[in-house]
């Protein structure tokens, strides 16, 4: 009974923060106090609780370093003209009949290169929504295509913090995980492309040369060399170079371009890296401002607090009863089905992707003995389910950034987010049906 009260109070705090628009950090701090109090009740000492907390944080130490690098990368890519070049080049390829398809693919590309859903929404997502408004294209459909695209890369980019978190939790290689993610997403990706193409063919609109794109071309020297930082990420990732080294190489290349091509001073560059990129023009600010080490402080705190009490949850056994039920559920609906069904309430209660992943992992880590299999279960459930929850940070922040007119409509037209888990559920059922009770395949 005590376990249900503690978990219920934590879930209520998360939902209250979501309802009142309060930062989820307050609910996480409250949750840490709750779980630490539960540990005291179970006769753990303060020193033991502190040690458990530190052990939890230690599991994500590499991610915290990557967060800092991502902050610098997203800022310096803006300043170097890398993101403006990608956006302006891709926008020039758009035609009305393929508008939603290109919006989806563009945001897929930028999110793969940056590994951040929020950063992609704030750059190419903002431009796509502005172009949709000016061309008379349906903004709800556009919002759905953007939401699908930004989480395509958030799931399978080597720069993605969620992919890094899953690899750290499951102790698997991120590049092996990405290979499996690609295999399990080919059919859903193709289906999504067809759906967005059909939506475009049935929509009316006439494209225009947007003010934002004109400002980008006038404010940056969009030389081909500004694409080098993005090219480095792709090349070094294909060569399986360590993610941190890949990012540092890209940051160095973009920094050099800032100084030599864009004409920034060393003082400006340092300010960009720490505080983020800022421009005085209001029209550019809405889509170009962002990045910097300080922009990652909040998400770093969320990861630290949630990972610190995740070890307390594990050590105290508060989730033991639930884990046994999930094990039985996995036997009935396949292990992946168990993970998927677990990720839904976990994401709804957590209100953010990071905690949803950690909770699903804690509850489902014994559902299979194969670590690579567990990693792909998490990637195809908790990672992709979080942005389907309207009050989740993973959904609310990107849609707010692009000024989406209707949250529910955008979620319904974010086809990739639910076709991917649906397809993998079908595949897992087929594999289960092919296996006889004695373990032999038909």
């Amino acid at each position: 009974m005590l376990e249900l009260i503690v978990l219920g109070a934590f879930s209520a705090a998360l939902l209250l923060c979501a309802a009142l628009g309060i930062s989820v950090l307050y609910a996480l701090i409250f949750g840490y106090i709750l779980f630490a109090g539960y540990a005291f009740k179970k006769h753990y000492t303060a020193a033991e609780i502190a040690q458990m907390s530190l052990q939890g944080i230690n599991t994500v130490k590499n991610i915290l370093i990557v967060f800092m690098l991502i902050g610098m990368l997203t800022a310096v890519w803006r300043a170097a003209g890398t993101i403006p070049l990608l956006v302006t080049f891709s926008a020039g390829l758009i035609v009305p009949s393929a508008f939603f398809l290109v919006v989806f693919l563009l945001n897929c590309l930028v999110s793969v290169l940056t590994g951040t859903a929020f950063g992609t929404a704030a750059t190419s997502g903002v431009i796509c929504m502005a172009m949709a408004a000016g061309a008379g294209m349906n903004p709800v459909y556009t919002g759905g295509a953007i939401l699908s695209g930004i989480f395509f890369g958030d799931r399978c980019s080597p720069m993605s913090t969620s992919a890094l978190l899953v690899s750290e939790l499951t102790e698997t290689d991120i590049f092996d995980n990405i290979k499996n993610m690609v295999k399990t997403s080919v059919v859903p990706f193709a289906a999504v492309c067809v759906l967005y193409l059909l939506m475009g063919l049935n929509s009316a609109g006439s494209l225009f040369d947007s003010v934002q794109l004109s400002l980008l071309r006038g404010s940056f020297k969009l030389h081909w060399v500004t694409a080098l930082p993005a090219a480095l990420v792709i090349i070094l990732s294909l060569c399986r170079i360590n993610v941190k080294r890949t990012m540092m190489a890209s940051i160095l290349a973009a920094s050099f371009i800032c100084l030599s091509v864009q004409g920034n001073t060393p003082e400006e560059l340092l300010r960009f890296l720490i505080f983020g990129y800022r421009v005085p023009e209001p029209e550019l600010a809405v889509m170009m401002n962002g990045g910097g080490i300080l922009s990652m402080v909040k998400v770093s705190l969320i990861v630290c607090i949630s990972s610190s009490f995740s070890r307390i949850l594990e050590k105290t056994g508060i989730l033991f009863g639930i884990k046994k039920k999930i094990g039985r559920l996995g036997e009935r609906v396949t292990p992946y089905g168990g993970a998927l069904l677990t990720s839904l309430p976990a994401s709804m209660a957590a209100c953010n992707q990071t905690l949803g992943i950690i909770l699903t992992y804690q509850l489902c880590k014994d559902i299979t003995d194969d670590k690579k299999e567990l990693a792909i279960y998490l990637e195809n459930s908790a990672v992709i389910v979080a942005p389907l929850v309207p009050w989740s940070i993973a959904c609310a922040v990107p849609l707010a950034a692009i000024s989406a007119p209707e949250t529910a409509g955008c979620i319904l037209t974010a086809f990739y987010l639910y076709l991917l888990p649906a397809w993998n559920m079908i595949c897992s059922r087929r594999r289960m049906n092919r296996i006889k009770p004695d373990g032999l395949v038909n």
Side-chain angles (χ1 to χ4, degrees), residues 391-436:
W391 58 84
S392 170
I393 293 174
C395 176
V397 172
L399 292 184
I402 63 175
S403 301
E406 183 184 326
T407 299
C410 291
I411 292 175
L412 287 174
T413 53
F415 302 124
Y416 183 74
L417 300 182
Y418 51 86
L419 287 183
L420 176 69
W423 169 253
N424 281 278
M425 186 66 212
I426 292 171
C427 292
S428 67
R429 289 293 299 177
R430 286 178 176 174
R431 285 193 297 269
M432 190 175 188
N433 291 336
R434 287 201 305 266
I435 299 176
K436 297 179 180 180

Side-chain angles (χ1 to χ4, degrees), residues 95-437:
V95 294
S97 60
F99 181 80
F100 301 118
L101 173 61
V102 175
V103 167
F104 170 63
L105 294 176
L106 170 61
N107 284 278
C108 284
L109 173 63
V110 177
S111 65
V112 167
L113 292 173
T114 63
T116 166
F118 294 171
T120 304
T123 52
S124 61
V126 170
I127 294 175
C128 290
M129 188 59 81
M131 292 176 64
M137 306 299 287
N138 191 312
V140 174
Y141 294 172
T142 306
I146 292 169
L147 198 60
S148 284
I150 64 176
F151 280 101
F152 175 87
D154 184 79
R155 169 179 173 267
C156 64
S157 169
M159 315 285 285
S160 168
T161 53
S162 64
L164 287 165
L165 177 61
V166 170
S167 68
E168 289 286 335
L169 290 173
T170 59
E171 299 177 347
T172 51
D173 180 74
I174 188 172
F175 292 104
D176 288 337
N177 292 345
I178 290 173
K179 189 187 304 181
N180 290 328
M181 281 186 260
V182 171
K183 290 179 182 177
T184 57
S185 66
V186 172
V187 172
F189 182 83
V192 170
C193 288
V194 171
L195 287 171
Y196 285 133
L197 182 59
L198 292 175
M199 287 169 60
L201 292 173
N202 292 322
S203 299
S206 57
L207 293 182
F208 67 105
D209 186 18
S210 73
V211 174
Q212 287 88 347
L213 292 177
S214 299
L215 284 171
L216 284 175
R217 295 189 183 103
S219 301
F220 295 91
K221 297 176 181 177
L222 301 182
H223 192 273
W224 66 266
V225 76
T226 59
L228 179 60
L232 274 176
V233 170
I234 296 173
I235 294 170
L236 296 180
S237 296
L238 291 175
C239 295
R240 299 174 72 94
I241 302 299
N242 178 274
V243 172
K244 292 192 288 291
R245 292 180 180 177
T246 296
M247 295 176 71
M248 286 189 284
S250 183
I251 290 169
L252 289 174
S255 298
F256 177 77
I257 292 169
C258 283
L259 299 173
S260 60
V261 177
Q262 304 299 345
N264 297 119
T265 65
E267 292 77 12
E268 289 175 328
L269 175 60
L270 182 61
R271 188 169 64 250
F272 297 154
L273 293 173
I274 297 174
F275 299 101
Y277 184 69
R278 300 288 184 273
V279 291
E281 298 89 349
E283 297 87 356
L284 277 182
V286 69
M287 57 185 172
M288 288 304 298
N289 284 4
I293 294 173
L294 293 183
S295 69
M296 304 305 293
V297 170
K298 184 176 180 179
V299 69
S300 297
L301 288 173
I302 289 174
V303 169
C304 283
I305 297 172
S306 57
S307 60
S308 66
F309 65 61
S310 68
R311 186 55 61 97
I312 297 176
L313 295 176
E314 179 183 358
K315 292 291 186 181
T316 58
I318 191 172
L319 301 175
F320 183 70
I322 301 175
K323 288 171 72 172
K324 289 199 294 186
K325 292 180 181 179
I326 291 172
R328 290 195 294 269
L329 181 65
E331 293 175 358
R332 296 175 58 185
V333 298
T334 75
Y336 170 70
L340 179 60
L341 292 176
T342 302
S343 70
L344 291 170
S347 298
M348 292 173 70
C351 299
N352 76 86
Q353 187 188 55
T354 299
L355 184 56
I357 293 170
I358 292 174
L359 286 177
T360 305
Y361 167 74
Q362 288 291 333
L363 293 169
C364 299
K365 65 179 182 178
D366 296 327
I367 208 167
T368 177
D369 295 328
D370 190 327
K371 291 183 177 180
K372 290 183 179 180
E373 201 170 60
L374 177 59
I376 199 63
Y377 288 167
L378 292 174
E379 291 289 356
N380 291 340
S381 60
V383 172
I384 210 73
V385 164
L388 289 173
V389 179
W391 58 84
S392 170
I393 293 174
C395 176
V397 172
L399 292 184
I402 63 175
S403 301
E406 183 184 326
T407 299
C410 291
I411 292 175
L412 287 174
T413 53
F415 302 124
Y416 183 74
L417 300 182
Y418 51 86
L419 287 183
L420 176 69
W423 169 253
N424 281 278
M425 186 66 212
I426 292 171
C427 292
S428 67
R429 289 293 299 177
R430 286 178 176 174
R431 285 193 297 269
M432 190 175 188
N433 291 336
R434 287 201 305 266
I435 299 176
K436 297 179 180 180

